[in-house]
Amino acid sequence: MLTTLKTAYSDTRSSDLSWALGHEPLPSLATLDLELDATRVQLRLLGASHQVLVEEDGEVCSETVACMPGSSAPLPVGVSKRVGIWDYEFAARVETLSSGSFAGRAQELLALVADHPHGLAGNFPGSPHAFTALLVQRAEGQVSWRTWHSYPQEGRLVATRTRIAVRTLGEVREASMA
């Protein structure tokens, strides 16, 4: 699903992005609710980027990648940790592209996500290549998603990849005894 986001354009930079786990749902400009087997996933486009909420067996995992006022923590290159019943892995990278390459890559990514049943993308006012896009899938007991955050004024594209899996009952019990 592709939508045009109704928000004032704000000139943010890729270096303004930060990452957080556990935030409550933040105000969103667009959402997509999905049921992937026993897992509920909500993709959320924020005025400042994205939030993904995942729920299974009454447990929730919340990832936020956004330009959050007051946050000085930079976007990490990688994170691997246990969050409740989840094994969580996150990776991020920044691509710097020429203006011609940037426009082509932006169109390619928007086309990939726009018509995908598990994709959500939003264009920001001010530039046809200013967007945030999310794409989620479930395979082999894991839920994974990719996101793309474009910064045409810098020629930068921030790509993230997340994978979560519910730990086995034995692993959860072990962790609670430690």
Side-chain angles (χ1 to χ4, degrees), residues 13-18 49-50 65-67 75-76 90-97 102 105 109 131-133 146-152 154-161:
R13 296 179 309 275
S14 57
S15 60
D16 293 337
L17 279 177
S18 61
S49 257
H50 88 260
V65 173
C67 303
L75 189 65
F90 171 86
R93 67 182 164 75
V94 178
E95 295 176 50
T96 302
L97 305 163
F102 188 91
R105 183 78 170 128
L109 290 169
F131 69 91
T132 297
R146 297 187 64 190
T147 73
W148 298 272
H149 308 263
S150 74
Y151 297 88
E154 297 178 324
R156 290 196 174 150
L157 185 68
V158 178
T160 73
R161 182 183 302 258

Side-chain angles (χ1 to χ4, degrees), residues 22-113:
H23 278 294
E24 292 295 319
L26 298 171
S28 65
L29 300 172
T31 61
L32 178 63
D33 292 306
L34 300 164
E35 294 230 8
L36 307 174
D37 296 330
T39 307
R40 285 193 187 120
V41 178
Q42 185 177 70
L43 305 178
R44 303 170 61 80
L45 293 175
L46 312 175
S49 257
H50 88 260
Q51 187 174 51
V52 177
L53 307 175
V54 180
E55 181 182 349
E56 187 169 326
D57 294 332
E59 296 285 329
V60 176
C61 180
S62 163
E63 172 190 277
T64 306
V65 173
C67 303
M68 294 183 278
S71 177
S72 60
L75 189 65
V77 172
V79 174
S80 181
K81 64 189 306 180
R82 290 186 166 172
V83 180
I85 64 168
W86 312 95
D87 280 329
Y88 173 92
E89 293 178 10
F90 171 86
R93 67 182 164 75
V94 178
E95 295 176 50
T96 302
L97 305 163
S98 68
S99 62
S101 294
F102 188 91
R105 183 78 170 128
Q107 289 173 338
E108 175 185 285
L109 290 169
L110 286 172
L112 170 72
V113 176

